[in-house]
Amino acid sequence: MPSSPPPWEFHLPLAPADLLRSGGPAQYVVQEVLSPAQLAGQLAEFRGAFQVQGPLAILQHFDTLYSLLHHFRSINAALKEDALELMVKVVSRHSSDLSSILDNLDLNPSDRTTHLNALKMNCYVLTHLVEAFEIDSCKSGLAGLDPNGKSKKNRTTGSGFCWEEERQPLIHLLTQLLQLNLRRLWCGLVVEEEFISLVTGSCYRILEKPSISHQKHRAMREAVMHLLAVALTHYDHMLSATLKITQMVQHFEHVAPVFAGAVSLWATEYGMKSMVGELLREIGQKCPQDLTRDASGVKGYAAFLTELAEQIPAIVLSNMSVLLHHLDGESYVMRNAILTAMAEMLLQVLSGDQLEEAARGARDQFLDTLQAHLCDVSGFVRSRVLQLFTRIVQQKALPLARFQAVVSLAVGRLQDRSVTVVKNAIQLLAAFLSNNPFSCKLSCTDLAEPLKKETQKLQELRDKHTATTAALITPEEEWEAMQPELRATIHQLLHPLQGEEEEETLEVEETALNTAERIIQLLRKLNYKHAVRLTEMAVCHFHGMEPFTNSLGLEGDKETMILGILRTLYIDSNLENNIQQPLHSSGDEDPVIEEQPPSELVKQEMLVQYLQDAHSFSMKITEALSMVSRMMYESSISVVQEAIEFFVTVLQFGVPQALHGVQRMLPLIWSKEPGIRETVLSAYRRLYLSPSGDSERARAESLVQSLSLLMVDASLGTIQCLEEIISEFVQKDEIKPPVVHLLWEQFTEKSQCSVLERCAAVMLLGMMARGKPEIVGSNLDVLVMTALDEKVIEDYRLAQEVCSAISKLASSNKPAEGKNHAPFRLPQTHQLFRHLSEAVTTGFVQPSTLWIPFMESAITLIYQLAEGPEEICAQILQCCSQQALERVQEPQGVETEPGTSPSSIPGGANTLPTFLLTHLLSLVGNVALQQVVHLERAVSAELRRRRVLGEEQEAKKHVNSTKEQSAKSIENETTMEEDLGLVGASADDTEAELIRNICDTELLDGKQLLSAFIPLVLKICNNPGLYNDPALSAAAALALGKLCMVSAEFCDSHLRLLFTMMEKSTLPGVRSNLMIAAGDLAIRFPNLVEPWTPHLYARLRDPCPGVRQTAGLVMTHLILKDMVKVKGQVSEMAALLIDPEEEIVGLARNFFSELSNKDNAIYNLLPDIISRLSDPDCGVEEESFRTIMRQLFSYITKDKQTEGLVEKLCQRFRTARASVSRPFSLSHFASSL
């Protein structure tokens, strides 16, 4: 120990440069800043001095270490590391020495001053070394990033030094130092704030590095937190720490969770709960306007509040009031943070049924605030609140009384303009369903009946309780009824008239209690005189004894005194034997009528309330279904996915309306977005591939039954979507073999089932065959022999589905890309075609409405699978024609079958049943169409396959003959292959021309079979008055359209007839069929149909809704595929926006929505549409015109388009006709744009 202290005092500087300037006569000043070259030698001298003098050596060598800090960036790494190592030893030794020195009660002032200066100097050097190394580490970390921004591994120096490994022992050393009683060095006073800030500053510097939040630095974070905790508990560091933490949270976003964990630790482990209040108060005092401008700072505050509320919600709750004014600020980030904190308190502190009154009030206040912010101006806040309510509901922390209000708000948010809000609203409703306290089944219909029943029962209980209560009279009410007569009796007895005889004398009982009971009995028997007399006697006899004490203190009013005593006796329930009974006018013993206990009534009220809540909840969910259903076809992928998941959840809770939504999501399986397609697959996987059952058989039966129900009354589009889903499941082996076995059992009737279930089994087998063709291919004979035998006429529907299932063999055996295998075909002699031919020809003469659909499926299957299908179909046509001729040749006297009308045929006076003509024309039209399809697909593909195969063989021969040629030969070969490619393209054109030539010149040639039926078709089409049967007319029109598809020449010569029928036919079925045929012809022969385009648009104004809908569908396809020139006639499509039929309006909206996706399409068409619709002769009313324009203008979203449209509208004011309303409408919409 030095004998005398140094003549100066070391003051901790605000900046290192302050040590170079003298601040006073006794203040230490650095005498000389050494050069870098001198530092190594001087550091060695300091090391030697330390070994001799210990930690006090710093007093003579501080300038050396100051110079090292001054030149830290320019000196070599080895010197830096030596200096750090030496200072660690110095401070560690000083800490050990101080431990014993500070315990010495006789510490003299000189030693205290010496050690105080040494401590300040040692800590100053060590902490500044820490900060310098930390800055170096940050710079080297940035330099260590590769060009892609990824961090490289931490590199150590040649000596093995790694700063990140050295930091933690240093922090532990400083913590150990602070845990000493350092106040003794300051004479027992408060340790100067600069010294504590010097030590803690190293901690804050370390925390500024973003990597400190990584998991691998957890031990380092804990060491820093412990050091700061010591500073807080021992050295009154709270104010400085509060300011520093708020500043760092504002400027360094990564420290928010770090400091939240630290504050949580200090509050729980070190009892520093007041620290939480100080920090929240500091944040609460921030100006809301400043937070709005400071985006990064408010994010840090928000993250800190959220993390803190999650870790110590109870402590935050007690200080929450200082933050609430930020809910009215403009920063939505801060509002979100405070609302999230409220939700954490609701979940962790304010949940449960055993809350105290104050806690219940806070809970209700927080819930009110959350509900209010469901209508916040910011979509981010609305979305966040919905997420918070979802968590609250999932953890069952929402009071039942709030269910209806929050559900109603969530349903309202389904119409929000923000996609994220809508998505979270759907999630909240799904959470309500999954966690509802009512029932696992929420059908409104199922709940309405028990609610009505229990409500009626409750009313009966209430009526019964009311009647019982009315029958009971309370003692007070009895006394009020007795009082007038009793008062008159007392007055009469106390003031008797002259001449009245005295009554018999009464005697009091032995005790006052017995006397009182006797008086009560006299009152109940209405014996008022004796009761008054006995009371008067008892007052005298039991003077001063209960209950005959003059409690009213009315000595002078004896009448009032007796009346008061009687009242007390009758009403007071404190008497031991005072049993209150109702007053009756007769009988010595009155029966006691007990009041009905209210427990049963209360239970019934609770039950009815429960059922009412459940029914209201179910009604709200049902209301949400229609809104969510419309969202399935939104442009936002996430909203569509949430809508799908919502319907899956709703269906699991038995809401019947959910099945419509589940079916409506089916078309989404064709979505181009993989996420939506996978969500649909996942939804049906959850709904149908996880059946309940104890065995494989039971689960298979449940699965088959569920899938069969989907196909009941399903449309063709629904079945196609379902087929895509099931084939996907089969390809992934998610449908197990027991399911397939059960379907075969149902089809072959080995398992008992209905006709519809058998038909559904075949449909499901066909769907599965698309994924695995062997399901049908291995059992083809079973299908043929079971459903296509002689009993086929009994169930054409089953036979039709069998044909559809077998057709999957053709579609699944297409050659793979790049392969030239021959297509899958069956020989003409196969039993399948024999049975099909027999089934068609046998059913031809039977008047069944199901024969035509079956025949179409059979002919299609023959063309798909048979070798030479035209020969088989020619035989079928000849056989059916022969049967029709045989029926013609029968005598006229033969009675026609019931339900048929005779129709003339060319060349004879005999008659033929209408259904036979209908069957014949349908068969002819379908064979003609399938022959064209066969030529253009199968025959064309086979010609191309054979040509490519020949070219490949030629190319192989050429390659084998030129293997050893030079590079020039290789170039020639490449040129030749390119030439071959040109030849291939030319060959494709040649083959297509060959097919077209066959169709145009041969198929309908007089030598061909089909030509024999053309006169019949034309005769029926040209004589609608003679052949007026609706089915026959529709079949003839459809046959004409199909024959027109064969040949361009035939089409050109008969288009006038086709469009005349489409315009003038009185039968909607004919007009619809011809509209469909005209649409197909517009695609096949666009140049021929183009002059007739106005007739296509004309059908959009057809009086029949079915025809308008068909025309709308056809024109939608033609326009969107650019097969029809879009002109002003598209105004007819716009007119459908005001159609009375909702389905047609939806079709028109869908058309314009799709059209708007094409560049400027609607913008270019709008002037012509407006011109036509604004014409008074158009027939569009003023309000309807506005409705159409409002819908169309909604697709104009670009500013340039809006300006251009306004200009065009203004120009049209000059050309507007005399009508005043249209120019006004144009100006109205121009101003709205």
Side-chain angles (χ1 to χ4, degrees), residues 1071-1083:
R1071 300 199 299 274
S1072 292
N1073 283 346
L1074 290 175
M1075 186 67 202
I1076 296 172
D1080 293 336
L1081 290 172
I1083 296 175

Side-chain angles (χ1 to χ4, degrees), residues 851-852 855 917-927 1035 1039 1042:
W851 180 85
I852 293 178
M855 175 271 298
L917 273 178
T918 304
H919 285 184
L920 183 61
L921 295 180
S922 299
L923 178 61
V924 169
N926 200 49
V927 170
K1042 291 177 179 179

Side-chain angles (χ1 to χ4, degrees), residues 16 28 68 104 172 231 407 425 454 470 489 504 519 560 780 808-809 861 876 950 964 976 1115 1152 1171-1172:
Y28 179 83
L68 187 144
N104 185 6
H172 284 309
V407 169
E454 297 301 331
T489 302
E504 59 179 339
I519 292 172
T560 304
L780 181 59
K808 300 301 187 297
L809 294 176
L861 181 60
I876 294 175
E964 300 178 355
M976 185 191 69
M1115 296 309 297
F1152 283 106
S1171 294
R1172 287 180 175 263

